[in-house]
Structure formats: structure tokens, C-alpha cells
Amino acid sequence: MNGDLVRVLDGNIFVLSEENGDIEGGPNPSGYFGFDTRFLSRWRLTVNGERLHPLAIREVHYFEVRFFLVPGIPTHYVDAKVSVIRDRVVADGNFVETLTVINHRPEPVEYTVRIDVDSDFRPLYEVQMPHQAAERPGRLYRRIEDGSLRLGYRRERYRRETVVSSTEPAEVDDCGLTYRVRIERNARWTTTLRVRGLVLQPDGEDVRQRAAPRRSGGTPRLRLDLDRWLARTPQLSSDWDVLTDTWRRSLVDLAGLRYSPLVLPDEAMPAAGLPWVATATGRDSILTSFQALPVAPELAATTLRLLGTDQGTVLDDFRDEEPGKILQEFRYGELTAFEEKPQAPYYGSADTTPLYVVLLDEYERWTGDTALVREYEDEARAALHWIDEYGDIRGDGYVWYQRRNESSGLVNQCWKDSPDAICYRDGRRPGLPRATCELQGYAYDAKRRGARLAREIWGDPAYADRLDQEASELKVRFNRDFWLADDGYYALALDSDGTPVDALSSNIGHLLWSGIVDDSRAAAVAEHLLGPRLFSGWGVRTLAAGQTRYNPLGYHVGTVWPFDNALIAAGLRQYGFRREAGIIAEGIIAASAYFDARLPEAFAGFDRQRTGYPVRYPAANSPQALATSAPFLLVRTLLGLEPYGEHLVVAPEVPARFGRVELLDIPGRWGRKDAIGTARHHS
């Protein structure tokens, strides 16, 4: 993705534009997007036929941006006789832009202000992958009615429309709006354009009307909502300004990524990220909610409700659905409506189901909300049953994956889901099914946590004993079959014939987080994670340097992912490696300073000593919920925040660079509590 695109968003509705505010579609990813559809592919402003160039851009809030513009090329700036301000807001699902034209001449001047408008109504997937875009069988249409321009796309019962209206009279034609205005000397002219993207049902009603009570109020509502969000989330201060800035930016970005699912219009959960996954996903929503428990535990409640509601109930090869399985992704666009793609919803991930149980347990530990745990007992039991019934494809006690949908399903159904991510050290791809190591850790953790819920909340001690026994047996079996004694680390996966896949990867850090690692082997794992092959100086690489497929700019084969590192640091801390956890936290937080305090989805795995700065990964989603919430888990790890009964235990171990770290008003079953950690300076 073009890192220079200007973003404004409100949950899963967003606008990406050029630096002058224009939207130029086609293969360019700019546009006004919602519900996996591009509602605007052209939004071009001219004054007297001239394009505009930016003097400055001010990102006021995540939902609001201001462009300061002048006509012509840069050499004209010093003599500009007219300037333009574009105030852009995304609110209540709409795109609103106020244009202000300022005449700097000492006499009245007539201007022609033009907005060229178009929409291709492309599915988001085709905008992301333009080389895979096909000619679509639907019909584009446009008409002028009541002074507004209405653009539309219809394919059978599927309809999307874009309606553009203006507060000032305009000459409206099929391709845009024209204003012919006379502006007095040193005066200004203003109009506000409202763009509505409509997701129409067959009866012509916008499907989002049911959510209207929450999604009304426009910019004032969003400003008030953001103020309230920042007032109730824990506030952090640190001697290291980079940490303070990153924490604040993460809070604001997480606020921006919140959206209300159609089935839960009065609740909020995190969308996965801009621009390609502004939707509900199983893994991202679960792990974001887990990482954000210290700041916004209510996000976890909505995530658990939505994913529990959409849990798999039948065998459906097209969607990779199985009873008890938690969804991988939910899309609303044309491709899913006509089953050209399976994501409505799609269940092709083997990790989301055990992670659902992990989040349910951790949410209760943090909040004491036993009512939700009781409400979703059947869903949790179904998820635990899936691990053994459908996850264990080979009947050997491990979680495996192999897609049912051979045409468009995901080959890799773990968090590293790109085609080359799971490989031997010599680059060979293993056969299918595959059993990646972290899946076994998640299953182990889910069984242990499910046992606690069964014993303490569901009142089923026999079920609890069974789950505990199964977890213990899995841990023994795993440490026997996945450990590579000659290498001193765990295999990335088991091949279809049971052969260990011997690549060295960041996945071994997730094993620490899940607790499946034998205590006697934890030090060796920690040494590899902080060793030069995996640790770049900024963070742990997804795949170790020296492996055949290693590429510092490869999506899952050499980049550094902040959320991956946050889980690894938490795992190191659990096994007593506090110093090592601090090293990882320092690297990730230090990197954020080079991205304006906004951690991207991933960045390149180049060595820190070689480059001196973290290199941007060009296609990274940003903001991305997993990366946005990673600092929350890192700070939790540094301060040693752990629920214990009705109390929050604070056991800080803060690296010297952080100095003093204060986190105030941490919410939980204890009410609110402060945590303070001070670095220990070693001589």
C-alpha cells in the first residue's frame, strides 16, 4: 500500500486519498470504502480548471483531516492569489467534505470550482489485487435527482449506491458538480458536500438503518466519543517519551478501529486494519481484544459474542466450516454475495477456535464477568470439542489443518497464512495436512483454561479433570515429537507424514506464551529468540536469517510483526526471562518512533546495526489492530500485571531506557488500580 495516502476512518468506513485530497481510482488504492466496496473511485477538485497542490495537511483526529491547498504547480505558491481548504470527515458511515475557497486578491473574482465524481463499486479484494479483477456482470448507472448525483451498481438483487449532495447550489451533471461563484476581495466561499454510500436491500432500505441510533450525531458525536474513550482508558506516563507517545497513538488508533457489527449495533469490537481488512476477523479480533484487556476489556466481550454467534454449525466445504469452529473472516462485498469468494463468513483458520477459549478465560480472569462465561458455555464447549473432533485430522492428538475448499480456500490456516510461510529450512514446503507448533500450544492453553472455567464457573469438575488430563498428555507428546535435539529448538510444524519441519521461526515464542514448553527447554528457546538469527535488534523476525526462504521484506518469512513480539515477550516473562522480555519491548517501542508512534502491521527484518532505523514494509496495513494493541501487552508484561482472584498483581521489571512508567486507572474486577514501575540501573 502507498504509505503516502491520507487516511480518515470511522471503524470499517474509511477514505484513502492523495496528499491533495483527491481520489484517483483505477489501480490506485485510493477511494471511499465501506462494507468491502469502493463507493468513490474519483473525487477530483479543480479551481478554474487547475489541479490543487498541498501546502500542509493536518490530521485533526482519526476521523477528520484538513488540507491546505493552492492551484497550480509548486512554483506558483509564492504568488498564489487563491487558496482552498478541504475539511474532511468520516462519520455515521458518510463522507463529508467542506470546501472553502479564499480570494486573496484586492478585487472580486469569479471562480469555477469543479468536483469530478465517479465510482466503480469495485469489491475491496479487487482494489487490493487489481491483476485479479474481472469484468463484472452487473450494471453501472447514474442519474440526477433533487439536485444530487446518484451513482449505482446493480447485479440481480445486489445493489450499492453513492449519493452526492451539496449545501450550495451546483450545476450537477453525470460526472460531477460545478460551482460558478463570485468571491469578493479578501473574502471566502464555502460549501459542504455529503457523500453517502448505501448498502441497499431488495426493498431499497439501507441495511445499516437498524444501527442508526448509535451511528448518528456526526462529528460532534465522534469528538465526544473520543474524549470519553481517552478519559476512561488508562493513562500512561514514562520518562521515555517514545513510549508515552506510542501509548497515546495506540489508544487513538484503537478508538478509530472500533466498529459496531450489524448484529450488535450498540456494541463495539475492533476491525482488523486499514485498508485491506476493515472487517471482523477471528484471529485479529481475538488477539487484539486479548492485548487490549488492560485498557478496554469491553472489546473482548463484543468479540466473544459476535464470534460465538457466528460459530460453525455444519460441514460446509466451500466455507471450510465445521461444527464448533470459529470464523476466520467475514466480508460483505459482491464477491461473497455471489459466492465467488467464501468469506461470508469463512472458517479457514485452525487457531481461532482454541484462541476463542483462551480469550473467554482471560476476559473472565480480568473482569470477573461470569455471566458472559455462562452465556457462552455451549460455544466454548463446542470449540473445545472441535479441537479433538475436527482439528485432529490424523487422530494423533495434534491440531492439523487442510483446506476443504480446494479452489479458493487458504492453504495455510495458521497466523502465517501466506503460501511460503510454512517451510523447511532448505525452503521445501511440507505436505498437507500440516500441524504448526503454535497450534498445539494454543490447544494446550485452551484445554487448561477450559478446565478452569468448567471447575470454577460451569460446575462440571469431571469435564475439568478430563481437560486437564488431555492438556498434560498433549504437553508430553508435543515435547517429544516437536523438539529438535540437535538444534535446541522446536520444529515449526509436522509434515503430513509426521516429519518435523525444521525451520527456525518466531512461532517458538508463542509456545512460551501458551505454556507448553518444558521448563528444562525454556532457556534454549529464549536464547534462540534473542539470538542474531531471529532477533534483528528491533524485534524477533518471523523466520530466522539463514533459512533458505528468509527475506527481510517477506510477509511471513523475515519481517518483524509487533503483535508477534508482544506475545513472545509475554511468554518470556511467564518463564522468568524478564530481561529478555524487556529487550524485545524496548526494540518494538523504539521502532515506533520512526513510524510517527504508529506501529505498522509489520516492518522489515533488516539488522538494526546495519540500517540504524526500521525499514517500512510497503504493503503493511496501518493502522492495524494487532499492531495498535501490541504496546498494551508489552506494558502489561513490563509492569507484571496479572489478575489474581479479585486483585491485580503488579510486579514490574522495567528496562533502564524506560525509566519510570506509571499506568493509572487500570480497569478490571478490582475496579481501578494504578501500577508504577521504575527501572533498575545496574552498575
Side-chain angles (χ1 to χ4, degrees), residues 264 267-269 289 293 296-307 356 359 363 367 369 372 376:
L264 296 169
E267 300 181 40
M269 66 181 288
S289 298
L293 280 170
E298 69 275 9
L299 297 178
T302 309
T303 295
L304 290 164
R305 288 189 179 99
L306 179 76
L307 297 181
Y356 180 85
L359 178 62
Y363 169 75
T367 65
D369 185 358
L372 187 138
Y376 286 88

Side-chain angles (χ1 to χ4, degrees), residues 277-353:
V277 269
T279 187
T281 63
R283 177 186 310 115
D284 292 48
S285 297
I286 288 171
L287 290 177
T288 296
S289 298
F290 184 99
Q291 294 187 130
L293 280 170
V295 299
E298 69 275 9
L299 297 178
T302 309
T303 295
L304 290 164
R305 288 189 179 99
L306 179 76
L307 297 181
T309 300
D310 287 330
Q311 187 174 35
T313 57
V314 299
L315 290 173
D316 183 336
D317 289 353
F318 179 64
R319 303 189 196 286
D320 277 330
E321 181 180 358
E322 294 160 344
K325 202 173 187 183
I326 298 297
L327 66 83
Q328 187 262 348
E329 187 176 43
F330 200 115
R331 296 285 187 175
Y332 292 95
E334 179 184 1
L335 299 179
T336 53
F338 291 92
E339 296 194 340
E340 296 170 43
K341 295 287 181 181
Q343 284 88 356
Y346 177 60
Y347 293 85
S349 58
D351 54 352
T352 54
T353 306

Side-chain angles (χ1 to χ4, degrees), residues 4 51 90 93 101 108 125 154 218 258 262 275 324 374 435 448 630 666:
D4 295 329
R51 300 288 297 275
V90 174
V101 182
Y125 177 82
R154 179 191 290 271
R258 293 171 302 158
L262 291 177
R374 291 191 180 97
R448 286 193 312 158
I666 305 164

